[in-house]
Amino acid sequence: MLTRFAVAPSGFKESLSAQAAADAIAAGVRRVVPDAEVDLIPLVDGGEGTARALASATGGRLVALPATGPLGEPVGTHFALLGTASGSGSDLGSADTAVVEMAAVAGLSLVPHGLRDPGTTTTYGVGELIRAALDTGVRRVLVGCGDSGTSDGGAGALQALGARLLDEDGFELPHGGRELTRLHHIDPRGLDPRLAHTELLVACNPYNVLCGERGVARVFGPQKGATPAQVEELSAGLENWAYVLTRDLPVTCDLYGGPGTGASGGLGAGLAALGARLLPRFEVLLDHLDLDARLARADLVLTAEGALDHQTPRGKVPAEVARRAKLNGRPVLALAGTLGEGAHTVPGVDAFTGILPAPMALAEALVRASELLTDATERALRMILLGAGLPRGAGV
């Protein structure tokens, strides 16, 4: 009999936070097993909700402030100051650590659908948040990458931190990834001197690289509103960005194709050029949750994300949950808003299902996501319990 459930979903982009997704799944479980022991483990991947989740996990707090949004206008945003509580194997439980969530100031959700153009959006606000974090006296800044609405390589962030990005005539470049093809020289003399004495960490998907056929503009540009012509323009700009960064700054890593350099529209590369360490996001973000031990206690692990497809094994939450669950021999059910090519090949996922009971408009699905996720959990769990109750060899 299934009585103990670990519910470890990601958020559904532009629809449900990880916490809301976990709550919706738990509601579906309890419809079928009213006295179930449900361990809610909402997971963050560096994108939306990361700062809040880490502040909560460590007994820290959020600092609210205005900063420059992706369209160049002020937005209300925040960063986190972590507390001293820490989980197994993590050094993030430190009052000397701030968490800057790039999605909170440059995320895709902050760009209205009719204005989505990654050639013009900026990470300037990310640099402003890093400076605000430095003002508090922290010695470590962790930047969470994910859910970005930008493709400027982190150029805006470097400008906010004091670097001058100059064209051939010596004029400062405007914001936006499309401007990077005109970049001629970087003047780093105005960079905030505190960066030299601060540990800068970037939690990112190591599969995302800056340049090449799998470069970030080609893989994610269309999702952010880029046309095919703009994708090529952005790709060329990021190639030039990597070249000038490597020439003008003391860069010690491969900015073109190094792991994580393409994170958040290339923000990873821009920060790496300042000496940041690009770290696999799950190594940084999940250990404080004691995730492995909690998955091991469950009879069934449920995970979820907006889409399950061939990209899932490339650093997505369901794949990481399934990998860890399998280390302890736990079965895994994955729920997804959409099922794409390769959904059946995610290692460690024993069963999967989409949450839509019938075709519907995307706008309706986004509004009803919590209800749909609860209903889908109930349907899937009833099928699992039916199968578990059948006599061995039934139907043969």
Side-chain angles (χ1 to χ4, degrees), residues 122-124 127-128 130-131 152-167 170-175 180 183 185-195 241 244-245 248-250 269-271 273-275:
T122 179
T123 56
Y124 195 89
E128 291 178 319
I130 292 173
R131 289 181 61 181
D152 72 349
L158 266 66
Q159 288 175 308
L161 290 167
R164 298 183 67 218
L165 310 184
L166 307 174
D167 66 15
F171 293 106
E172 186 87 15
L173 288 184
H175 295 322
L180 294 178
L183 178 65
H185 174 64
I186 299 174
D187 179 358
R189 290 175 294 177
L191 280 170
D192 193 314
R194 296 173 295 182
L195 291 169
W241 176 236
V244 179
L245 282 172
D248 292 354
L249 298 180
L271 295 181
L274 300 183

Side-chain angles (χ1 to χ4, degrees), residues 13 24 28 73 83 98 116 197 269 299 317 341-342 362 394-395:
K13 189 175 295 186
E73 300 293 332
R116 292 188 174 175
H197 310 290
D299 298 320
V317 163
E341 181 181 355
L362 176 60

Side-chain angles (χ1 to χ4, degrees), residues 5-374:
F5 300 83
V7 176
S10 174
F12 284 42
K13 189 175 295 186
E14 299 187 76
S15 180
L16 294 175
S17 68
Q19 182 65 60
D23 290 340
I25 294 171
V29 169
R30 291 195 171 100
R31 286 181 183 175
V32 184
V33 187
D35 58 348
E37 179 185 326
V38 183
D39 186 6
L40 299 186
I41 320 172
L43 299 180
V44 293
D45 61 2
E48 293 178 359
T50 293
R52 187 178 303 275
L54 292 182
S56 175
T58 62
R61 62 187 178 91
L62 292 182
V63 178
L65 71 165
T68 303
L71 297 176
E73 300 293 332
V75 298
T77 185
H78 58 265
F79 65 91
L81 291 174
L82 301 190
T84 55
S86 63
S88 173
S90 173
D91 64 353
L92 289 183
S94 168
D96 290 330
T97 299
V99 177
V100 169
E101 175 191 317
M102 84 84 59
V105 71
L108 187 63
S109 64
L110 297 176
V111 186
H113 282 273
L115 298 177
R116 292 188 174 175
D117 177 0
T120 62
T121 49
T122 179
T123 56
Y124 195 89
V126 177
E128 291 178 319
L129 290 186
I130 292 173
R131 289 181 61 181
L134 294 176
D135 289 342
T136 69
V138 296
R139 293 185 297 178
R140 180 191 296 119
V141 177
L142 171 66
V143 179
C145 288
D147 301 327
S148 71
T150 58
S151 191
D152 72 349
L158 266 66
Q159 288 175 308
L161 290 167
R164 298 183 67 218
L165 310 184
L166 307 174
D167 66 15
E168 192 171 11
D169 298 317
F171 293 106
E172 186 87 15
L173 288 184
H175 295 322
R178 70 163 51 104
E179 303 294 339
L180 294 178
T181 57
R182 301 196 299 112
L183 178 65
H184 181 71
H185 174 64
I186 299 174
D187 179 358
R189 290 175 294 177
L191 280 170
D192 193 314
R194 296 173 295 182
L195 291 169
H197 310 290
T198 304
E199 184 180 17
L200 192 58
L201 307 176
V202 179
C204 58
N205 187 341
Y207 290 100
N208 292 345
V209 298
L210 188 68
C211 302
E213 288 304 310
R214 295 292 303 172
V216 66
R218 291 191 170 92
V219 175
F220 295 107
Q223 298 177 16
K224 301 174 185 181
T227 66
Q230 287 174 316
V231 165
E232 295 308 312
E233 179 184 41
L234 292 170
S235 295
L238 292 174
E239 291 268 1
N240 187 51
W241 176 236
Y243 169 75
V244 179
L245 282 172
T246 302
R247 185 195 65 197
D248 292 354
L249 298 180
V251 175
T252 59
C253 61
D254 173 15
L255 296 185
Y256 294 87
T261 52
S264 289
L267 175 65
L271 295 181
L274 300 183
R277 293 164 54 204
L278 307 186
L279 303 174
R281 54 188 176 181
F282 295 130
E283 291 183 12
V284 180
L285 300 173
L286 299 188
D287 284 346
H288 71 282
L289 296 173
D290 199 19
L291 179 61
D292 292 334
R294 294 167 73 178
L295 296 179
R297 289 193 291 267
D299 298 320
L300 177 65
V301 174
L302 297 95
T303 186
E305 194 165 56
L308 196 73
D309 55 29
H310 68 281
Q311 295 251 30
T312 302
R314 299 179 64 84
K316 302 292 188 179
V317 163
E320 181 66 12
V321 169
R323 183 187 72 81
R324 292 178 180 235
K326 280 295 172 284
L327 293 176
N328 292 285
R330 301 295 88 190
V332 177
L333 168 66
L335 302 112
T338 61
L339 300 175
E341 181 181 355
H344 65 289
T345 64
V346 179
V349 172
D350 299 290
F352 62 90
T353 185
I355 69 172
L356 299 182
M360 67 178 64
L362 176 60
E364 180 183 359
L366 292 175
V367 170
R368 296 178 56 195
S370 179
E371 166 200 345
L372 295 171
L373 185 53
T374 296

